[in-house]
């Protein structure tokens, strides 16, 4: 073989070795990329499954809170109806008691009159035998009437005592219902807080309450405000206040009460203007 041929053979061997090395390196990198891709796909599938499980859990909690809200509203309505019925019964029992007391007074007057009549008849008996017999008969009749009046008076007093006991029981039941209403209202506060909504949004109108913003705090971009109205002003957790400025006639948003104090409350601004921020001194009202 000529020297040039030998050179070409050597070059071919060298080129073959280089190409083989490049191919081996490419295959190794390709296997590494495929492994990383499959690992990324597995991580994505696991993350998706975790997110779907978390979403299902949140939906279940929301549905449970909504069921609690509906049950609480139903129980509150029933308790209010029972309380109203008991108040009507108490009024009726008071009326009947007053009537019986008046009847007892009438029986007492009649008994006094009959006693006087018996004494008069007893004096007349002494005049003559004939008159005495007639007087004795009449006196016996009057005595029977007096006994009947005494029995009627006793029955009226027994009925009055029974009515007094019924009144006491009705008052105790009314107090129990009032306590249950307070517990129901507290449960409703919990349901409102869990749902993250307001009492107005679930159909419970708030009374007209007007106050002012006394302070504003920013919590991760969410304004937290203090309002100078509290539990003593009939404010409840979940009430929604409209925020505005009377001087500039600007509407600034809405805030829902989350913490309640006797004279103040703390609310989270859930709807705010894009151009005007809520500030100290702004007005807050449940009804515009």
């Amino acid at each position: 073989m000529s020297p040039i041929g030998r050179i070409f053979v050597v070059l071919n061997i060298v080129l073959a070795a280089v190409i083989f090395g490049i191919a081996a390196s490419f295959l190794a990198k390709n296997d590494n990329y495929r492994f990383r891709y499959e690992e990324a796909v597995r991580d994505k599938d696991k993350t998706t499954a975790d997110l779907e499980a978390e979403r299902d859990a949140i939906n279940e909690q929301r549905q449970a809170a909504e069921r609690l809200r509906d049950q609480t509203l139903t129980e509150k309505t029933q308790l209010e109806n029972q309380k109203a019925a008991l108040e009507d019964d108490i009024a009726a029992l008071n009326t009947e008691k007053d009537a019986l007391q008046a009847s007892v007074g009438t029986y007492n007057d009649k008994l006094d009159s009959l006693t006087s009549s018996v004494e008069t008849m007893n004096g007349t008996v002494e005049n003559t035998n004939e008159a005495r017999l007639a007087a004795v008969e009449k006196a016996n009749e009057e005595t029977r009437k007096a006994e009947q009046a005494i029995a009627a008076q006793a029955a009226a007093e027994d009925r009055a005592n029974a009515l007094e006991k019924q009144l006491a029981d009705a008052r105790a039941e009314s107090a129990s219902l009032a306590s249950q209403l307070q517990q129901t209202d507290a449960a409703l506060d919990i349901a409102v807080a869990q749902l993250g909504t307001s009492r107005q949004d679930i159909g419970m109108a708030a009374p007209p309450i007007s106050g002012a913003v006394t302070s504003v705090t920013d919590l991760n971009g969410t304004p937290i405000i203090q309002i100078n109205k509290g539990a003593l002003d009939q404010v409840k957790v979940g009430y929604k206040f409209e925020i505005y400025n009377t001087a500039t006639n600007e509407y600034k948003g809405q805030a829902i009460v989350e913490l309640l104090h006797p004279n103040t409350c703390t609310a989270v601004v859930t709807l705010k203007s894009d151009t005007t921020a809520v500030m100290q001194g702004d007005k807050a009202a449940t009804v515009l």
Side-chain angles (χ1 to χ4, degrees), residues 29-213:
K29 288 182 179 180
N30 187 47
D31 289 340
N32 183 44
Y33 288 148
R34 183 179 61 187
F35 174 76
R36 290 170 62 187
Y37 171 75
E38 291 175 351
E39 184 177 13
V41 170
R42 287 194 297 271
D43 291 341
K44 176 180 175 296
D45 292 340
K46 182 177 182 304
T47 302
T48 301
D50 292 342
L51 288 174
E52 289 178 350
E54 184 177 354
R55 180 196 62 193
D56 294 340
I58 291 173
N59 286 334
E60 290 179 0
Q61 292 177 359
R62 181 178 179 84
Q63 290 173 1
E66 289 175 347
R67 288 193 298 270
L68 175 62
R69 176 200 64 188
D70 295 338
Q71 180 182 356
T72 302
L73 288 173
T74 301
E75 291 177 354
K76 182 176 182 181
T77 301
Q78 292 174 350
L79 289 172
E80 288 175 343
N81 292 336
Q82 292 178 13
K83 182 180 178 183
L86 276 174
E87 289 174 348
D88 292 340
D89 291 343
I90 289 173
L93 289 172
N94 280 327
T95 301
E96 186 175 356
K97 178 186 175 184
D98 293 340
L100 284 173
Q101 287 177 340
S103 178
V104 168
T106 302
Y107 284 130
N108 285 331
D109 294 340
K110 188 174 182 180
L111 181 60
D112 292 339
S113 176
L114 289 173
T115 301
S116 177
S117 178
V118 170
E119 291 175 353
T120 301
M121 289 300 172
N122 285 334
T124 306
V125 167
E126 298 177 356
N127 292 333
T128 60
N129 287 337
E130 192 172 323
R132 180 175 177 276
L133 291 174
V136 168
E137 185 64 29
K138 191 170 182 179
N140 289 336
E141 180 65 23
E142 296 295 336
T143 300
R144 283 193 298 272
K145 290 180 180 180
E147 290 173 350
Q148 291 174 355
I150 292 172
Q153 179 187 7
E157 289 175 349
D158 290 340
R159 177 59 178 165
N161 292 333
L163 285 175
E164 190 66 34
K165 184 178 183 302
Q166 290 180 24
L167 282 171
D169 293 340
R171 292 190 186 101
E173 188 173 357
S174 178
S176 176
L177 283 175
S179 175
Q180 292 181 39
L181 281 173
Q182 291 178 351
Q183 294 175 2
T184 301
D185 203 51
L188 184 59
D189 286 344
I190 295 173
V192 167
Q194 289 178 347
L195 288 173
T197 184
S198 68
R199 287 179 177 241
Q200 292 97 314
D201 291 338
I202 62 172
M204 298 185 66
I209 303 173
S210 296
V213 177

Side-chain angles (χ1 to χ4, degrees), residues 254-272:
Q254 295 176 347
I256 296 178
V257 176
E258 288 197 354
L259 294 176
L260 192 61
H261 312 286
N263 297 304
T264 61
C265 65
T266 303
V268 177
V269 175
T270 58
L271 175 65
K272 59 183 178 179

